[in-house]
Amino acid sequence: MRKLFAVTTPLSNYLQSPSLDYVEALCLVDSVQNRLKVLRSEEQFSLLIDESKSFASANYLVVTGLKEIRIRRIKKMPGELCQDESNVDILTKFKTEFFYYSLDIVNETLENRFRSSRGILTDLSLLTEERILFTKKNNEYALSKNEFSELAKWLPQIHLENLQTEYKVFAESYQALENTSSNQNIFQSLNKEDAVDPEDDENYDENTCSTSEKEHNPIKEFSSSMLHLLSSHGLMASFPNMYLAYKGLCTIPASSASAERTFSKLKIIKNRLRTTTQQDRLESLILLSSEKDIEIDLEKATDLLARSSDILSKQLLPS
């Protein structure tokens, strides 16, 4: 198990990091799967047994070995074809039913988890700054017909051929757009909007601020700046499919941190004084607590509440 965790722990930590790169994540998944396949061998199993014996000897532990299982004898009746249990070595049984089985379960879980999302993540990786600069430097690089195909399936508003054409044109003119003074003002304004002013924020915490500054997501920041660039300079008409692609990229969460925060809110809301709260009301309270940044029109909310009951309608709505 120590070797298994040594292989999978770096992948687990990287998938939970906010600065997640989709291409690097897929490469790391492939690397972990290949290392698990290498571990699933007779040589690695023998090495594991030798290391266990060496550890027991170094720590003065008694090596008892695996418990032998008595072969079950089955009485054969006239006309039956039953047989006794096969005489399998206990070490071989442990190797197949525990060692190989554990590695196969982990490998199969990784394959099932990333099989369906591999195509869309590969397409979204083309929208990163590194791939755009690579496309510009290699003018002979041509997109295959399958590039952005999964993205077009996910966003039906995108036209596949037009997106591929817009991507090539956008990559060629990206540095020119980035070096313009107006574009630099965009990045400066974005940084000002994202910055936290200690005097304006009552809940400002230096530790929280320093942590958030370290744990930034370059893909999300670049996608937000590209959306701002395309919308502020009237480039949406020239690159409509690129705008939709970056808009879709910004909606994908980098990690499960937002979902985990919702569960943390659940512990706060459903305390011992609210143990009898019904499911609908509990979901509404969690939504209000988790999505505080969403602006709510109080007039529309009041009208909607008033129409739910005749008594409330008489009291809240004007006669």
Side-chain angles (χ1 to χ4, degrees):
M1 296 302 291
R2 181 175 60 86
K3 288 187 176 182
L4 181 60
F5 285 124
V7 173
T8 57
T9 298
L11 174 62
S12 177
N13 294 335
Y14 184 74
L15 292 178
Q16 298 179 58
S17 63
S19 57
L20 178 65
D21 183 82
Y22 301 124
V23 179
E24 188 67 25
L26 292 177
C27 293
L28 194 56
V29 169
D30 294 337
S31 175
V32 169
Q33 288 183 310
N34 293 332
R35 293 177 64 184
L36 291 176
K37 292 178 181 178
V38 173
L39 284 177
R40 195 187 186 282
S41 62
E42 185 73 28
E43 180 182 357
Q44 292 295 326
F45 179 74
S46 301
L47 182 61
L48 176 64
I49 297 299
D50 295 339
E51 290 179 355
S52 301
K53 293 180 180 179
S54 300
F55 177 81
S57 177
N59 292 273
Y60 304 101
L61 300 176
V62 179
V63 181
T64 58
L66 299 175
K67 183 179 179 181
E68 294 289 342
I69 301 177
R70 184 175 63 87
I71 300 176
R72 182 183 177 187
R73 302 294 181 180
I74 301 177
K75 185 178 180 180
K76 187 174 182 180
M77 303 299 292
E80 292 184 348
L81 301 178
C82 59
Q83 298 179 354
D84 296 337
E85 291 184 352
S86 58
N87 187 9
V88 181
D89 181 38
I90 187 61
L91 197 61
T92 304
K93 188 178 181 64
F94 174 79
K95 177 180 63 176
T96 56
E97 295 185 2
F98 180 77
F99 183 72
Y100 286 171
Y101 180 76
S102 301
L103 295 176
D104 292 341
I105 287 295
V106 176
N107 211 343
E108 184 180 358
T109 302
L110 290 175
E111 181 66 24
N112 295 335
R113 179 69 63 87
F114 294 95
R115 181 190 305 165
S116 58
S117 59
R118 184 177 293 272
I120 185 67
L121 292 179
T122 303
D123 289 346
L124 291 175
S125 66
L126 296 173
L127 301 175
T128 59
E129 186 176 14
E130 292 78 8
R131 296 299 299 272
I132 291 178
L133 294 177
F134 173 80
T135 304
K136 176 179 174 56
K137 292 179 181 179
N138 299 271
N139 295 326
E140 68 279 0
Y141 175 75
L143 295 175
S144 63
K145 295 182 179 180
N146 295 328
E147 302 286 358
F148 295 116
S149 58
E150 295 295 330
L151 183 60
K153 293 179 182 178
W154 178 48
L155 299 174
Q157 303 90 342
I158 291 180
H159 191 276
L160 179 58
E161 295 181 357
N162 292 344
L163 176 59
Q164 294 175 348
T165 304
E166 292 176 13
Y167 181 78
K168 292 287 292 184
V169 176
F170 185 81
E172 294 175 358
S173 57
Y174 166 68
Q175 285 186 330
L177 293 172
E178 185 184 18
N179 294 330
T180 57
S181 58
S182 59
N183 192 24
Q184 292 176 359
N185 293 332
I186 289 176
F187 285 97
Q188 293 176 1
S189 62
L190 285 175
N191 294 331
K192 290 180 180 179
E193 292 175 359
D194 295 336
V196 179
D197 190 357
E199 298 180 358
D200 297 338
D201 192 354
E202 298 178 355
N203 299 324
Y204 177 79
D205 186 3
E206 294 182 357
N207 297 328
T208 305
C209 182
S210 60
T211 303
S212 61
E213 290 176 356
K214 293 178 181 178
E215 297 180 352
H216 67 283
N217 189 344
I219 296 181
K220 295 295 182 181
E221 293 176 359
F222 178 74
S223 303
S224 300
S225 62
M226 290 298 101
L227 278 177
H228 202 284
L229 171 65
L230 294 173
S231 60
S232 300
H233 286 67
L235 298 176
M236 292 175 57
S238 302
F239 304 98
N241 295 281
M242 287 290 293
Y243 178 80
L244 292 175
Y246 277 114
K247 191 175 181 180
L249 178 58
C250 288
T251 61
I252 298 179
S255 65
S256 60
S258 57
E260 293 173 358
R261 293 192 194 100
T262 304
F263 286 104
S264 300
K265 294 289 185 181
L266 177 61
K267 295 180 181 179
I268 299 174
I269 295 174
K270 193 173 183 180
N271 52 27
R272 62 185 183 86
L273 300 178
R274 296 196 181 108
T275 54
T276 59
T277 304
Q278 295 183 356
Q279 185 68 22
D280 295 340
R281 179 177 175 82
L282 184 62
E283 291 178 358
S284 301
L285 292 175
I286 293 177
L287 183 62
L288 290 173
S289 180
S290 302
E291 307 294 344
K292 293 181 179 180
D293 56 334
I294 299 179
E295 297 182 359
I296 300 176
D297 191 343
L298 297 180
E299 293 294 334
K300 292 183 179 180
T302 304
D303 294 341
L304 184 61
L305 177 63
R307 293 190 181 93
S308 62
S309 171
D310 294 337
I311 299 176
L312 293 176
S313 178
K314 293 179 181 179
Q315 295 179 353
L316 298 177
L317 294 179
S319 56

